[in-house]
Short mmCIF file of all heavy atoms in Angstrom, two decimals:
data_model
loop_
_atom_site.label_atom_id
_atom_site.label_comp_id
_atom_site.label_asym_id
_atom_site.label_seq_id
_atom_site.Cartn_x
_atom_site.Cartn_y
_atom_site.Cartn_z
N VAL G 12 -279.44 -27.57 3.19
CA VAL G 12 -279.54 -27.53 1.72
C VAL G 12 -279.81 -28.92 1.20
O VAL G 12 -280.69 -29.06 0.31
CB VAL G 12 -278.26 -26.95 1.13
CG1 VAL G 12 -278.15 -27.11 -0.35
CG2 VAL G 12 -278.07 -25.48 1.49
N THR G 13 -279.17 -29.89 1.67
CA THR G 13 -279.45 -31.28 1.25
C THR G 13 -280.93 -31.64 1.47
O THR G 13 -281.58 -32.19 0.62
CB THR G 13 -278.50 -32.25 2.04
OG1 THR G 13 -277.16 -31.92 1.77
CG2 THR G 13 -278.80 -33.69 1.55
N GLU G 14 -281.42 -31.26 2.66
CA GLU G 14 -282.83 -31.51 2.99
C GLU G 14 -283.81 -30.84 1.96
O GLU G 14 -284.67 -31.40 1.51
CB GLU G 14 -283.10 -31.06 4.41
CG GLU G 14 -284.48 -31.22 4.89
CD GLU G 14 -284.59 -30.67 6.35
OE1 GLU G 14 -283.80 -30.98 7.17
OE2 GLU G 14 -285.57 -29.94 6.54
N TRP G 15 -283.44 -29.52 1.67
CA TRP G 15 -284.34 -28.85 0.71
C TRP G 15 -284.26 -29.44 -0.61
O TRP G 15 -285.29 -29.44 -1.32
CB TRP G 15 -283.85 -27.35 0.69
CG TRP G 15 -284.00 -26.63 1.95
CD1 TRP G 15 -284.84 -26.85 3.03
CD2 TRP G 15 -283.21 -25.45 2.42
NE1 TRP G 15 -284.63 -25.97 4.07
CE2 TRP G 15 -283.61 -25.08 3.75
CE3 TRP G 15 -282.18 -24.75 1.81
CZ2 TRP G 15 -283.09 -24.06 4.43
CZ3 TRP G 15 -281.62 -23.74 2.56
CH2 TRP G 15 -282.09 -23.37 3.83
N LEU G 16 -283.07 -29.85 -1.05
CA LEU G 16 -283.03 -30.44 -2.40
C LEU G 16 -283.61 -31.83 -2.54
O LEU G 16 -283.94 -32.27 -3.60
CB LEU G 16 -281.51 -30.47 -2.87
CG LEU G 16 -280.84 -29.14 -2.99
CD1 LEU G 16 -279.37 -29.22 -3.29
CD2 LEU G 16 -281.58 -28.22 -4.01
N ARG G 17 -283.74 -32.47 -1.37
CA ARG G 17 -284.38 -33.81 -1.37
C ARG G 17 -285.91 -33.74 -1.15
O ARG G 17 -286.57 -34.74 -1.17
CB ARG G 17 -283.74 -34.72 -0.25
CG ARG G 17 -282.36 -35.17 -0.58
CD ARG G 17 -281.88 -36.04 0.54
NE ARG G 17 -280.54 -36.55 0.19
CZ ARG G 17 -279.69 -37.14 1.02
NH1 ARG G 17 -280.11 -37.25 2.28
NH2 ARG G 17 -278.57 -37.56 0.65
N ASP G 18 -286.41 -32.57 -0.97
CA ASP G 18 -287.83 -32.37 -0.75
C ASP G 18 -288.63 -32.99 -1.83
O ASP G 18 -288.22 -33.13 -3.00
CB ASP G 18 -288.17 -30.86 -0.67
CG ASP G 18 -289.54 -30.56 -0.27
OD1 ASP G 18 -289.81 -30.68 0.94
OD2 ASP G 18 -290.33 -30.24 -1.20
N GLU G 19 -289.86 -33.40 -1.52
CA GLU G 19 -290.72 -34.04 -2.51
C GLU G 19 -291.60 -33.09 -3.21
O GLU G 19 -292.42 -33.44 -4.04
CB GLU G 19 -291.56 -35.16 -1.81
CG GLU G 19 -290.72 -36.34 -1.27
CD GLU G 19 -289.90 -37.04 -2.41
OE1 GLU G 19 -290.46 -37.19 -3.53
OE2 GLU G 19 -288.75 -37.30 -2.11
N GLY G 20 -291.48 -31.78 -3.01
CA GLY G 20 -292.22 -30.74 -3.69
C GLY G 20 -291.92 -30.66 -5.12
O GLY G 20 -290.91 -31.25 -5.63
N GLU G 21 -292.73 -29.96 -5.80
CA GLU G 21 -292.64 -29.82 -7.32
C GLU G 21 -291.32 -29.24 -7.64
O GLU G 21 -290.59 -29.68 -8.68
CB GLU G 21 -293.71 -28.97 -7.89
CG GLU G 21 -295.06 -29.69 -7.89
CD GLU G 21 -296.19 -28.86 -8.36
OE1 GLU G 21 -295.92 -28.01 -9.33
OE2 GLU G 21 -297.36 -29.01 -8.00
N ALA G 22 -290.85 -28.10 -7.07
CA ALA G 22 -289.66 -27.46 -7.45
C ALA G 22 -288.46 -28.36 -7.27
O ALA G 22 -287.57 -28.49 -8.19
CB ALA G 22 -289.43 -26.19 -6.67
N ALA G 23 -288.34 -29.09 -6.18
CA ALA G 23 -287.16 -29.96 -5.97
C ALA G 23 -287.27 -31.14 -6.92
O ALA G 23 -286.20 -31.54 -7.41
CB ALA G 23 -287.18 -30.47 -4.49
N THR G 24 -288.44 -31.66 -7.12
CA THR G 24 -288.54 -32.82 -8.07
C THR G 24 -288.14 -32.37 -9.44
O THR G 24 -287.38 -33.17 -10.16
CB THR G 24 -289.97 -33.37 -8.05
OG1 THR G 24 -290.32 -33.75 -6.68
CG2 THR G 24 -290.15 -34.57 -8.98
N ARG G 25 -288.53 -31.31 -9.90
CA ARG G 25 -288.19 -30.79 -11.27
C ARG G 25 -286.67 -30.55 -11.36
O ARG G 25 -286.00 -30.87 -12.30
CB ARG G 25 -288.94 -29.48 -11.62
CG ARG G 25 -290.33 -29.69 -12.13
CD ARG G 25 -290.84 -28.39 -12.75
NE ARG G 25 -290.71 -27.26 -11.83
CZ ARG G 25 -291.60 -26.76 -10.95
NH1 ARG G 25 -292.78 -27.35 -10.88
NH2 ARG G 25 -291.38 -25.66 -10.17
N LEU G 26 -286.17 -29.87 -10.28
CA LEU G 26 -284.71 -29.61 -10.33
C LEU G 26 -283.93 -30.84 -10.34
O LEU G 26 -282.94 -31.00 -11.10
CB LEU G 26 -284.32 -28.74 -9.08
CG LEU G 26 -282.86 -28.40 -9.01
CD1 LEU G 26 -282.51 -27.48 -10.16
CD2 LEU G 26 -282.53 -27.70 -7.71
N ARG G 27 -284.29 -31.91 -9.49
CA ARG G 27 -283.51 -33.17 -9.52
C ARG G 27 -283.62 -33.80 -10.91
O ARG G 27 -282.61 -34.28 -11.40
CB ARG G 27 -284.05 -34.09 -8.46
CG ARG G 27 -283.59 -33.69 -7.07
CD ARG G 27 -283.89 -34.80 -6.08
NE ARG G 27 -285.24 -35.27 -6.11
CZ ARG G 27 -286.21 -34.79 -5.37
NH1 ARG G 27 -286.04 -33.74 -4.51
NH2 ARG G 27 -287.44 -35.37 -5.42
N ALA G 28 -284.79 -33.75 -11.60
CA ALA G 28 -284.92 -34.42 -12.89
C ALA G 28 -283.99 -33.68 -13.88
O ALA G 28 -283.33 -34.30 -14.70
CB ALA G 28 -286.34 -34.28 -13.35
N TYR G 29 -283.99 -32.34 -13.84
CA TYR G 29 -283.15 -31.53 -14.74
C TYR G 29 -281.62 -31.83 -14.46
O TYR G 29 -280.92 -32.12 -15.39
CB TYR G 29 -283.40 -30.02 -14.56
CG TYR G 29 -282.54 -29.16 -15.43
CD1 TYR G 29 -282.78 -28.94 -16.66
CD2 TYR G 29 -281.38 -28.57 -14.85
CE1 TYR G 29 -281.97 -28.18 -17.57
CE2 TYR G 29 -280.53 -27.83 -15.68
CZ TYR G 29 -280.84 -27.57 -16.99
OH TYR G 29 -280.03 -26.87 -17.82
N VAL G 30 -281.19 -31.74 -13.22
CA VAL G 30 -279.80 -31.96 -12.91
C VAL G 30 -279.41 -33.47 -13.22
O VAL G 30 -278.30 -33.71 -13.68
CB VAL G 30 -279.47 -31.58 -11.43
CG1 VAL G 30 -278.13 -32.01 -11.01
CG2 VAL G 30 -279.76 -30.11 -11.15
N ASP G 31 -280.34 -34.36 -13.09
CA ASP G 31 -280.07 -35.80 -13.38
C ASP G 31 -279.66 -35.87 -14.85
O ASP G 31 -278.82 -36.67 -15.19
CB ASP G 31 -281.28 -36.66 -13.09
CG ASP G 31 -281.03 -38.06 -13.14
OD1 ASP G 31 -280.01 -38.57 -12.54
OD2 ASP G 31 -281.79 -38.75 -13.91
N GLY G 32 -280.29 -35.04 -15.70
CA GLY G 32 -279.96 -35.08 -17.18
C GLY G 32 -278.60 -34.56 -17.46
O GLY G 32 -278.15 -34.61 -18.57
N LEU G 33 -277.92 -33.89 -16.51
CA LEU G 33 -276.63 -33.31 -16.75
C LEU G 33 -275.49 -34.31 -16.42
O LEU G 33 -274.33 -33.96 -16.69
CB LEU G 33 -276.44 -32.04 -15.90
CG LEU G 33 -277.42 -30.94 -16.08
CD1 LEU G 33 -277.17 -29.82 -15.11
CD2 LEU G 33 -277.39 -30.44 -17.52
N ARG G 34 -275.82 -35.51 -15.95
CA ARG G 34 -274.82 -36.51 -15.61
C ARG G 34 -274.05 -36.89 -16.86
O ARG G 34 -274.61 -37.12 -17.93
CB ARG G 34 -275.46 -37.75 -15.12
CG ARG G 34 -276.14 -37.66 -13.80
CD ARG G 34 -276.78 -39.14 -13.63
NE ARG G 34 -277.73 -38.99 -12.59
CZ ARG G 34 -277.45 -39.06 -11.36
NH1 ARG G 34 -276.26 -39.32 -10.98
NH2 ARG G 34 -278.37 -38.99 -10.37
N PRO G 35 -272.74 -37.11 -16.71
CA PRO G 35 -271.98 -37.64 -17.84
C PRO G 35 -272.32 -39.10 -18.16
O PRO G 35 -272.25 -39.49 -19.33
CB PRO G 35 -270.53 -37.57 -17.38
CG PRO G 35 -270.54 -37.16 -15.96
CD PRO G 35 -271.91 -36.79 -15.59
N ALA G 36 -272.78 -39.86 -17.21
CA ALA G 36 -273.23 -41.27 -17.37
C ALA G 36 -274.14 -41.57 -16.23
O ALA G 36 -274.13 -40.88 -15.15
CB ALA G 36 -272.06 -42.18 -17.34
N ALA G 37 -275.08 -42.55 -16.41
CA ALA G 37 -276.07 -42.88 -15.51
C ALA G 37 -275.51 -43.28 -14.09
O ALA G 37 -276.16 -43.09 -13.09
CB ALA G 37 -276.98 -44.03 -15.97
N ASP G 38 -274.29 -43.83 -14.08
CA ASP G 38 -273.72 -44.30 -12.85
C ASP G 38 -272.79 -43.26 -12.20
O ASP G 38 -272.05 -43.57 -11.24
CB ASP G 38 -272.93 -45.62 -13.05
CG ASP G 38 -271.76 -45.50 -14.01
OD1 ASP G 38 -271.72 -44.48 -14.81
OD2 ASP G 38 -270.90 -46.39 -14.01
N GLN G 39 -272.80 -42.05 -12.68
CA GLN G 39 -271.87 -40.97 -12.27
C GLN G 39 -272.65 -39.87 -11.60
O GLN G 39 -273.87 -39.67 -12.02
CB GLN G 39 -271.02 -40.41 -13.35
CG GLN G 39 -269.99 -41.46 -13.85
CD GLN G 39 -269.16 -40.87 -14.97
OE1 GLN G 39 -269.31 -39.71 -15.36
NE2 GLN G 39 -268.26 -41.62 -15.49
N SER G 40 -272.07 -39.14 -10.67
CA SER G 40 -272.75 -38.00 -10.06
C SER G 40 -272.83 -36.88 -11.06
O SER G 40 -272.03 -36.81 -12.10
CB SER G 40 -271.92 -37.54 -8.88
OG SER G 40 -272.01 -38.51 -7.80
N SER G 41 -273.79 -36.01 -10.81
CA SER G 41 -273.95 -34.83 -11.66
C SER G 41 -272.79 -33.91 -11.43
O SER G 41 -272.09 -33.94 -10.42
CB SER G 41 -275.28 -34.09 -11.37
OG SER G 41 -275.17 -33.50 -10.06
N PRO G 42 -272.48 -32.94 -12.36
CA PRO G 42 -271.47 -31.92 -12.05
C PRO G 42 -271.90 -31.13 -10.82
O PRO G 42 -273.10 -30.96 -10.59
CB PRO G 42 -271.57 -31.05 -13.32
CG PRO G 42 -272.26 -31.79 -14.32
CD PRO G 42 -273.18 -32.74 -13.66
N PRO G 43 -270.93 -30.74 -9.98
CA PRO G 43 -271.28 -29.98 -8.80
C PRO G 43 -271.95 -28.60 -9.14
O PRO G 43 -271.57 -27.98 -10.11
CB PRO G 43 -269.99 -29.79 -8.10
CG PRO G 43 -268.93 -30.06 -9.05
CD PRO G 43 -269.55 -30.88 -10.14
N ILE G 44 -272.89 -28.19 -8.31
CA ILE G 44 -273.45 -26.92 -8.39
C ILE G 44 -272.83 -26.06 -7.30
O ILE G 44 -273.01 -26.33 -6.16
CB ILE G 44 -275.00 -26.94 -8.22
CG1 ILE G 44 -275.67 -27.91 -9.18
CG2 ILE G 44 -275.63 -25.52 -8.26
CD1 ILE G 44 -277.16 -28.29 -8.76
N MET G 45 -272.07 -25.10 -7.70
CA MET G 45 -271.38 -24.25 -6.75
C MET G 45 -272.34 -23.16 -6.26
O MET G 45 -272.77 -22.28 -7.07
CB MET G 45 -270.10 -23.61 -7.36
CG MET G 45 -269.22 -24.61 -7.97
SD MET G 45 -268.73 -25.98 -6.86
CE MET G 45 -267.74 -25.18 -5.64
N LEU G 46 -272.62 -23.16 -5.00
CA LEU G 46 -273.59 -22.22 -4.34
C LEU G 46 -272.84 -21.21 -3.50
O LEU G 46 -271.84 -21.50 -2.88
CB LEU G 46 -274.55 -22.95 -3.45
CG LEU G 46 -275.38 -24.09 -4.05
CD1 LEU G 46 -276.11 -24.85 -3.03
CD2 LEU G 46 -276.36 -23.47 -5.11
N GLN G 47 -273.34 -19.96 -3.58
CA GLN G 47 -272.92 -18.90 -2.64
C GLN G 47 -274.17 -18.50 -1.95
O GLN G 47 -275.14 -18.07 -2.64
CB GLN G 47 -272.30 -17.75 -3.45
CG GLN G 47 -271.01 -18.15 -4.10
CD GLN G 47 -270.45 -16.88 -4.80
OE1 GLN G 47 -270.12 -15.91 -4.08
NE2 GLN G 47 -270.44 -16.93 -6.16
N LEU G 48 -274.23 -18.60 -0.63
CA LEU G 48 -275.38 -18.33 0.17
C LEU G 48 -275.12 -17.18 1.17
O LEU G 48 -274.21 -17.23 1.84
CB LEU G 48 -275.85 -19.54 0.91
CG LEU G 48 -276.19 -20.72 0.11
CD1 LEU G 48 -276.56 -21.92 1.01
CD2 LEU G 48 -277.26 -20.51 -0.97
N TRP G 49 -276.03 -16.17 1.11
CA TRP G 49 -276.01 -15.11 2.12
C TRP G 49 -277.14 -15.48 3.14
O TRP G 49 -278.29 -15.74 2.71
CB TRP G 49 -276.24 -13.76 1.52
CG TRP G 49 -275.10 -13.24 0.76
CD1 TRP G 49 -274.20 -12.31 1.27
CD2 TRP G 49 -274.65 -13.59 -0.60
NE1 TRP G 49 -273.26 -12.04 0.26
CE2 TRP G 49 -273.53 -12.83 -0.83
CE3 TRP G 49 -275.14 -14.44 -1.52
CZ2 TRP G 49 -272.83 -12.84 -2.08
CZ3 TRP G 49 -274.43 -14.55 -2.73
CH2 TRP G 49 -273.27 -13.77 -2.97
N ILE G 50 -276.79 -15.42 4.40
CA ILE G 50 -277.69 -15.85 5.52
C ILE G 50 -277.75 -14.75 6.47
O ILE G 50 -276.71 -14.27 6.98
CB ILE G 50 -277.27 -17.18 6.11
CG1 ILE G 50 -277.07 -18.29 5.05
CG2 ILE G 50 -278.11 -17.60 7.23
CD1 ILE G 50 -276.28 -19.47 5.47
N ASP G 51 -279.01 -14.33 6.78
CA ASP G 51 -279.09 -13.15 7.70
C ASP G 51 -278.90 -13.57 9.17
O ASP G 51 -278.68 -14.77 9.50
CB ASP G 51 -280.41 -12.42 7.49
CG ASP G 51 -281.65 -13.14 7.88
OD1 ASP G 51 -281.58 -14.18 8.61
OD2 ASP G 51 -282.73 -12.68 7.54
N ALA G 52 -278.97 -12.53 10.02
CA ALA G 52 -278.75 -12.80 11.44
C ALA G 52 -279.83 -13.68 12.14
O ALA G 52 -279.56 -14.26 13.19
CB ALA G 52 -278.69 -11.48 12.25
N LYS G 53 -280.89 -13.93 11.41
CA LYS G 53 -281.92 -14.86 11.96
C LYS G 53 -281.79 -16.29 11.39
O LYS G 53 -282.56 -17.10 11.68
CB LYS G 53 -283.38 -14.36 11.61
CG LYS G 53 -283.61 -12.96 12.22
CD LYS G 53 -285.03 -12.48 11.84
CE LYS G 53 -285.30 -11.12 12.47
NZ LYS G 53 -286.46 -10.52 12.00
N GLY G 54 -280.71 -16.53 10.55
CA GLY G 54 -280.51 -17.82 9.96
C GLY G 54 -281.34 -18.10 8.74
O GLY G 54 -281.63 -19.28 8.44
N VAL G 55 -281.79 -17.09 8.03
CA VAL G 55 -282.57 -17.26 6.83
C VAL G 55 -281.72 -16.88 5.56
O VAL G 55 -281.04 -15.91 5.57
CB VAL G 55 -283.82 -16.35 6.86
CG1 VAL G 55 -284.61 -16.45 5.55
CG2 VAL G 55 -284.77 -16.79 8.07
N VAL G 56 -281.84 -17.74 4.56
CA VAL G 56 -281.08 -17.49 3.34
C VAL G 56 -281.78 -16.40 2.65
O VAL G 56 -282.99 -16.44 2.29
CB VAL G 56 -281.07 -18.71 2.44
CG1 VAL G 56 -280.34 -18.39 1.09
CG2 VAL G 56 -280.40 -19.87 3.12
N THR G 57 -281.01 -15.24 2.43
CA THR G 57 -281.68 -14.05 1.75
C THR G 57 -281.19 -13.86 0.35
O THR G 57 -281.83 -13.13 -0.39
CB THR G 57 -281.22 -12.80 2.64
OG1 THR G 57 -279.79 -12.64 2.65
CG2 THR G 57 -281.79 -12.77 4.00
N ARG G 58 -280.09 -14.50 -0.03
CA ARG G 58 -279.59 -14.39 -1.38
C ARG G 58 -278.86 -15.70 -1.71
O ARG G 58 -278.18 -16.27 -0.85
CB ARG G 58 -278.72 -13.19 -1.41
CG ARG G 58 -278.08 -12.90 -2.78
CD ARG G 58 -277.30 -11.61 -2.71
NE ARG G 58 -276.38 -11.57 -3.81
CZ ARG G 58 -275.30 -10.70 -3.80
NH1 ARG G 58 -275.09 -9.85 -2.80
NH2 ARG G 58 -274.57 -10.68 -4.88
#
């Protein structure tokens, strides 16, 4: 997940820019995004 969110593609870049704007201050981390992931028997995120 960390790798996917650090990707240089358009979706990851836009998402990081959006989440960056949610920080309480420039020197603080963004609020956590609580994820629930369903992963199939082949190791692919399906939901």
Side-chain angles (χ1 to χ4, degrees):
V12 169
T13 299
E14 182 181 311
W15 298 333
L16 296 175
R17 287 183 177 166
D18 186 77
E19 294 301 320
E21 290 180 27
T24 301
R25 278 192 311 264
L26 181 64
R27 285 193 307 271
Y29 177 80
V30 173
D31 191 50
L33 302 176
R34 293 174 195 275
D38 63 341
Q39 294 180 359
S40 294
S41 69
I44 303 165
M45 303 310 292
L46 302 173
Q47 294 181 67
L48 304 176
W49 284 260
I50 303 165
D51 70 13
K53 296 178 183 175
V55 175
V56 177
T57 59
R58 180 176 161 197

